[in-house]
Amino acid sequence: MLASRHIMTMDDVTAEEIVHILDTAESFAEVNQRRIKKLPTLRGRTIVNLFFEPSTRTRMSFEIASKRLSADGVNFTASSSATVKGETLLDTAKTLAAMSCDLVVVRHKYAGAPQMLAEVMDCSIVNGGDGVHQHPTQALLDLYTMRQSLGKLEGLRVGIVGDICHSRVAGSLVPALRKVGATPIIIGPPTLMPARPDVLGAEVAYDLDEVLPSLDVAYLLRVQFERAARMPFPSNREYASLYGMNAARLAKLPPHAVVMHPGPMNRGVEITADVADSARSVILDQVESGVAVRMAVMYLLLGGADSGAAA
Ligand code: CP
């Protein structure tokens, strides 16, 4: 069980609960290696994926996670819903509430959409990404991947590189790293930093090459061209030359350090294809971790061992 009924931001989970989620995910990761990857744990529970923005990894992994736990998973896609007829988010939420869901995963372009749902729905809400605010289950799967790759979380130095100001991934990963005793360092051009980078609680740097030798993890962010009001740098080529991860920069990292990216990648902008596909990249491990971590989140939010069926 978790103390909070929801995971809307990283404020909803304590450091101890993060470790509990990661430990629980480890047992589900073992299940995911079996030939029959199904447990009866959430049989009879209804989980709705409410996605108003595109997604491959988050939506698919929540869907797979709910199926592996035998929940009844339902997918809502905004483009084929009454949203296109003008139905508001609140009316959609009230409509779903009338159908008695147990858990809703929501992705929306507006920060605060999960909190809005929680006010009118009597079920658990998981934030699958709200605008430029937070994406907490991404942070949890990133912590899981770091722990699996490097054997620990405490003391790690994690460089989060690139489009900080538009990144809900950074919005959750910075507080998540701080909770577990790791050090986040945000690195990027001034045009992609928030107005007050100091208030995020991370170290701030502008010269990637200077920081690389001190990192355990180089975490490249996608440049979110769709959220920028105007092109935030002169050209993709200039961005890549100053902040892109490439073979020369990979060589500047300590030998044990790993490269991460939440996906989807702009290959050739924030990361070159040879680095993305190299042995130092754990990008597909992040995707794999996503299923186990989201199984753990659903299991613990919906009662865990108290639901009557243990993993
Ligand atoms: N990392 C992430 O949220 O990817 P999707 O947009 O594909 O869900």
Side-chain angles (χ1 to χ4, degrees):
M1 287 284 284
L2 302 175
S4 172
R5 189 182 186 195
H6 311 294
I7 300 186
M8 298 192 282
T9 73
M10 287 311 299
D11 287 342
D12 289 323
V13 281
T14 64
E16 293 72 27
E17 285 175 331
I18 290 173
V19 173
H20 185 40
I21 291 168
L22 303 192
D23 290 346
T24 306
E26 241 173 56
S27 66
F28 286 127
E30 184 272 315
V31 172
N32 288 337
Q33 299 305 317
R34 295 182 194 164
R35 195 170 70 83
I36 307 295
K37 304 171 183 60
K38 206 165 178 82
L39 297 168
T41 314
L42 295 183
R43 196 161 48 201
R45 313 304 292 272
T46 303
I47 295 174
V48 176
N49 276 328
L50 189 58
F51 277 61
F52 292 89
E53 279 194 327
S55 169
T56 298
R57 281 147 283 268
T58 311
R59 195 174 72 89
M60 292 292 290
S61 61
F62 270 112
E63 188 177 346
I64 291 169
S66 61
K67 287 186 193 310
R68 298 234 166 121
L69 295 175
S70 303
D72 296 317
V74 183
N75 286 318
F76 168 99
T77 307
S79 59
S80 58
S81 74
T83 302
V84 295
K85 301 179 196 168
E87 187 162 59
T88 64
L89 174 63
L90 270 187
D91 279 336
T92 303
K94 288 176 186 169
T95 302
L96 291 175
M99 298 183 200
S100 304
C101 317
D102 295 295
L103 187 150
V104 169
V105 182
V106 60
R107 170 170 288 193
H108 202 282
K109 67 179 175 184
Y110 293 128
Q115 286 80 0
M116 202 188 249
L117 293 196
E119 282 172 23
V120 297
M121 299 190 79
D122 184 25
C123 68
S124 291
I125 307 291
V126 175
N127 181 0
D130 62 331
V132 299
H133 181 218
Q134 289 228 7
H135 192 354
T137 61
Q138 177 71 44
L140 291 168
L141 74 87
D142 291 334
L143 294 184
Y144 182 91
T145 308
M146 289 176 205
R147 197 174 78 164
Q148 292 298 111
S149 305
L150 300 166
K152 63 172 188 175
L153 292 171
E154 198 173 348
L156 293 183
R157 283 179 61 79
V158 179
I160 305 170
V161 186
D163 189 355
I164 309 292
C165 69
H166 298 116
S167 177
R168 55 196 177 202
V169 172
S172 286
L173 188 54
V174 168
L177 289 165
R178 283 167 54 86
K179 278 180 191 237
V180 298
T183 302
I185 304 114
I186 53 171
I187 308 152
T191 51
L192 288 174
M193 282 287 182
R196 290 281 315 275
D198 52 312
V199 300
L200 287 183
E203 290 180 15
V204 182
Y206 296 96
D207 186 335
L208 175 60
D209 292 295
E210 215 170 73
V211 179
L212 285 172
S214 73
L215 297 180
D216 299 293
V217 178
Y219 193 111
L220 291 314
L221 293 172
R222 182 172 73 86
V223 180
Q224 303 203 20
F225 294 106
E226 76 278 17
R227 293 193 206 275
R230 58 186 171 76
M231 186 73 170
F233 38 77
S235 69
N236 288 352
R237 181 193 282 252
E238 179 173 303
Y239 180 86
S241 78
L242 290 172
Y243 294 101
M245 180 54 69
N246 53 32
R249 291 205 165 102
L250 189 63
K252 291 184 180 177
L253 285 170
H256 70 274
V258 295
V259 174
M260 300 177 69
H261 190 300
M265 291 179 272
N266 294 308
R267 286 176 182 251
V269 183
E270 64 264 3
I271 189 166
T272 56
D274 57 338
V275 175
D277 301 330
S278 75
R280 304 284 295 280
S281 159
V282 293
I283 294 168
L284 289 179
D285 302 69
Q286 290 172 263
V287 177
E288 183 179 348
S289 305
V291 176
V293 167
R294 284 162 177 146
M295 287 169 81
V297 162
M298 290 174 173
Y299 171 73
L300 293 171
L301 283 177
L302 292 182
D306 295 343
S307 69

